[in-house]
């Protein structure tokens, strides 16, 4: 990957050190014949696929249209918020605003954060697989599959209101698998030696292991690897190793400077840093590993907000190009108009009557968009320029 491509990633995630780390991991994976990623010959192809997958998921989400309406039309006037009834086409009602806040915070940001965590974890998985092979815990000849190269049977509702696994509906599977191949009774057999689950936030190992157990249950009903289907009789899952991957907990810097800039003051935030720690590999039991990555939950979340900004700019570019919206864009570029539209919307949302939890979330979103992640993530109250006067 060329240096300019690393800067392309940095323009989207807002961190050159993190962009270089992603570049390095993907290049290692692409150069390893044992590793299977989604289609792509360059590191930028793999990153772009992850970005597009997250955006596609956001666009297809039922509340994705709410977000687009918020940027295009805004919300109802404060004076009529108690009586306003949405027509489902343009301005959002207070109830729709609350749904939109939940969507941005719980789905959009987390979706981007998850993609970053999965990309960065690939390198840790390669390192652990090499260690396991050297210790004869897995065969010397193995393969690693990641992300959308893995598909498992879906769970669907049964007539007795329980859930069962479908034989003809498939969805994204485990985050990673270590497998080997053999032949039995004139058919190829997939032997699953490890199931990998990658997280973008710190949660209990028990919860991750339970999620891996559910993957193991589904895998025994069949699997699709790299677009090739293997039926249940071709799957062997004897006693797989369970690998949980989570971010570290170091915090991004809270330092800032306020400097004169003509008639106003400008807020300067510290540049993103390279991870200050190394990844840790902990064997919990003979068949369980927990990897703590070198990149932290806050570093991933900060980058995820930047990716959200990037998406908002794209939406703004779509909706602020027609004549209908020229008045709202006030001569700004479509990219800038989309970014400002969400800031304005969040500001006026905070004047609505909201449930305390939704108000706290909206406050955090507004603070992060206006004053940066480090300041916005730390303040429970709405921030103002005067808070950064000197």
């Amino acid at each position: 990957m060329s240096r300019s491509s690393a800067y392309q990633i940095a323009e989207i995630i807002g961190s050159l050190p993190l962009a270089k780390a992603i570049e390095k991991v993907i290049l290692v994976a692409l150069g390893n014949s044992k590793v299977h990623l989604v289609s792509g010959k360059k590191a930028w192809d793999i990153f772009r696929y992850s970005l597009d997958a997250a955006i596609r998921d956001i666009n297809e989400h039922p509340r994705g249209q709410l977000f687009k309406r918020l940027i295009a039309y805004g919300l109802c006037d404060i004076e009529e918020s108690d009586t306003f009834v949405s027509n489902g086409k343009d301005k959002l009602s207070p109830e729709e605003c609350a749904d939109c806040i939940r969507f941005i915070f719980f789905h959009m940001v987390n979706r981007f954060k998850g993609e970053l965590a999965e990309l960065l974890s690939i390198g840790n998985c390669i390192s652990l697989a090499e260690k396991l092979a050297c210790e004869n815990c897995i065969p010397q000849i193995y393969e690693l599959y990641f992300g959308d190269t893995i598909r498992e049977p879906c769970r669907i509702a049964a007539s007795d209101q329980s859930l069962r696994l479908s034989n003809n509906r498939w969805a994204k599977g485990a985050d990673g698998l270590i497998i080997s191949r053999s032949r039995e009774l004139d058919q190829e057999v997939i032997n699953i030696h490890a199931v990998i689950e990658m997280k973008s936030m710190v949660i209990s190992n028990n919860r991750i292991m339970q999620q891996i157990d559910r993957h193991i249950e589904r895998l025994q009903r069949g699997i699709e690897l790299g677009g090739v289907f293997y039926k249940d009789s071709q799957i062997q899952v004897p006693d797989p190793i369970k690998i949980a991957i989570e971010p570290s907990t170091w915090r991004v810097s809270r330092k800032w400077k306020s400097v004169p800039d003509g008639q106003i003051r400008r807020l300067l935030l510290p540049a993103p840093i390279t991870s200050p720690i190394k990844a840790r590999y902990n064997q919990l039991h003979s068949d369980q590993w927990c990897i703590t990555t070198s990149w932290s939950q806050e570093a991933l979340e900060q980058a995820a907000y930047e990716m959200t900004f990037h998406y908002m700019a794209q939406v703004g570019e779509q909706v602020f190009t027609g004549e209908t919206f020229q008045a709202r864009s006030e001569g700004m570029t479509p990219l800038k108009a989309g970014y400002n539209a969400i800031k304005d919307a969040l500001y006026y949302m905070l004047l609505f009557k909201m449930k305390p939890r939704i108000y706290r979330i909206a406050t955090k979103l507004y603070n992060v968009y206006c004053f940066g992640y480090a300041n916005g993530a730390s303040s429970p109250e709405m921030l103002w320029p005067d808070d950064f006067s000197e």
Side-chain angles (χ1 to χ4, degrees):
M1 184 177 182
S2 66
R3 184 172 181 272
S4 61
S5 294
Y7 278 90
Q8 279 184 280
I9 296 176
E11 287 175 358
I12 295 172
I13 67 175
S15 169
L16 184 57
L18 184 57
K20 288 183 176 180
I22 293 171
E23 171 191 47
K24 181 179 179 180
V25 166
I26 297 175
L27 284 175
V28 169
L30 289 173
N32 190 325
S33 60
K34 296 180 179 180
V35 176
H36 298 268
L37 302 177
V38 293
S39 179
K41 296 181 179 179
K42 298 180 180 180
W44 172 251
D45 298 333
I46 307 301
F47 176 81
R48 185 71 201 187
Y49 181 95
S50 289
L51 177 65
D52 289 346
I55 290 174
R56 183 172 60 252
D57 184 56
I58 290 167
N59 289 338
E60 292 174 355
H61 193 283
R63 290 177 180 167
Q65 292 305 313
L66 269 183
F67 174 74
K68 291 183 178 181
R69 281 173 51 202
L70 180 67
I71 290 184
Y73 300 99
L75 54 155
C76 67
D77 295 335
I78 303 300
E79 294 77 11
E80 60 179 6
S81 60
D82 290 336
T83 58
F84 182 82
V85 177
S86 171
N87 61 10
K89 297 179 180 179
D90 40 55
K91 289 186 177 181
L92 271 62
S93 68
E95 293 78 13
E96 288 175 323
C97 287
D99 283 341
C100 199
I101 289 169
R102 293 187 190 96
F103 174 70
I104 296 171
F105 189 78
F106 291 111
H107 184 80
M108 190 183 297
V109 174
N110 285 338
R111 187 67 178 81
F112 287 129
K113 188 165 63 170
E115 289 294 331
L116 291 174
E118 290 187 22
L119 286 174
L120 288 165
S121 298
I122 290 172
N124 304 114
C125 295
I126 293 172
S127 298
L128 181 57
E130 291 172 350
K131 173 182 174 62
L132 294 173
C134 287
E135 296 176 354
N136 295 316
C137 298
I138 63 174
Q140 298 297 310
I141 300 177
Y142 64 87
E143 298 175 54
L144 275 160
Y145 279 84
F146 292 106
D148 283 353
T149 64
I150 307 166
R151 293 172 68 81
E152 299 172 3
C154 288
R155 286 181 175 271
I156 60 173
S159 56
D160 60 357
Q161 297 185 342
S162 64
L163 293 176
R164 64 177 178 83
L165 295 176
S166 170
N167 290 324
N168 53 17
R169 291 180 58 187
W170 300 79
K172 184 178 182 296
D175 295 328
L177 293 175
I178 301 177
I179 72 152
S180 66
R181 300 173 187 269
S182 58
R183 293 199 68 83
E184 293 182 14
L185 301 175
D186 295 327
Q187 67 176 358
E188 187 175 35
V189 172
I190 302 298
N191 306 288
I192 296 174
H193 302 287
V195 180
I196 304 163
E197 189 64 29
M198 307 165 178
K199 294 298 180 187
S200 61
M201 61 188 71
V202 179
I203 63 175
S204 73
N205 283 324
N206 285 339
R207 283 182 59 190
I208 301 178
M209 296 305 168
Q210 289 171 5
Q211 189 169 352
I212 291 176
D213 286 336
R214 290 192 291 271
H215 283 301
I216 293 172
E217 177 192 1
R218 290 195 288 268
L219 289 168
Q220 297 178 73
R221 296 291 297 271
I223 188 174
E224 199 177 271
L225 292 176
V228 179
F229 170 70
Y230 300 91
K231 56 189 178 182
D232 54 356
S233 63
Q234 294 177 272
I235 308 298
Q236 295 290 332
V237 194
D239 189 16
I241 297 170
K242 303 172 186 178
I243 303 172
I245 305 180
E246 63 180 11
S248 54
T249 55
W250 56 267
R251 304 181 77 194
V252 300
S253 174
R254 264 59 177 171
K255 294 180 180 179
W256 54 269
K257 289 182 179 180
S258 178
V259 298
D261 186 5
Q263 299 297 314
I264 62 173
R265 299 190 68 85
R266 188 156 51 93
L267 183 64
L268 296 182
L269 301 175
I273 62 170
T274 300
S275 169
I277 66 173
K278 293 183 178 180
R280 300 188 299 275
Y281 298 78
N282 299 315
Q283 187 171 14
L284 307 178
H285 300 286
S286 60
D287 64 342
Q288 292 185 11
W289 282 81
C290 178
I291 301 175
T292 303
T293 67
S294 59
W295 289 94
S296 73
Q297 179 173 317
E298 282 202 352
L300 293 177
E301 188 168 85
Q302 184 178 41
Y305 273 102
E306 293 295 332
M307 294 174 78
T308 308
F309 299 161
H310 173 80
Y311 172 72
M312 290 175 179
Q314 286 189 324
V315 173
E317 198 166 26
Q318 294 173 16
V319 302
F320 286 104
T321 52
E323 294 181 4
T324 307
F325 302 107
Q326 288 304 310
R328 282 199 71 204
S329 60
E330 298 179 351
M332 294 181 287
T333 66
L335 296 177
K336 187 69 173 177
Y339 180 59
N340 281 352
I342 191 66
K343 287 200 296 184
D344 288 346
L346 285 167
Y347 172 82
Y348 286 106
M349 277 186 201
L350 290 169
L351 303 179
F352 285 162
K353 295 177 183 177
M354 295 182 182
K355 292 181 179 179
R357 185 166 183 253
I358 298 299
Y359 183 84
R360 287 195 299 271
I361 294 171
T363 300
K364 179 177 179 177
L365 291 173
Y366 175 79
N367 287 342
V368 170
Y369 290 146
C370 294
F371 301 101
Y373 174 81
N375 295 315
S378 302
S379 176
E381 303 294 334
M382 189 174 177
L383 294 173
W384 299 87
D386 289 347
D387 294 322
F388 306 91
S389 58
E390 297 290 345

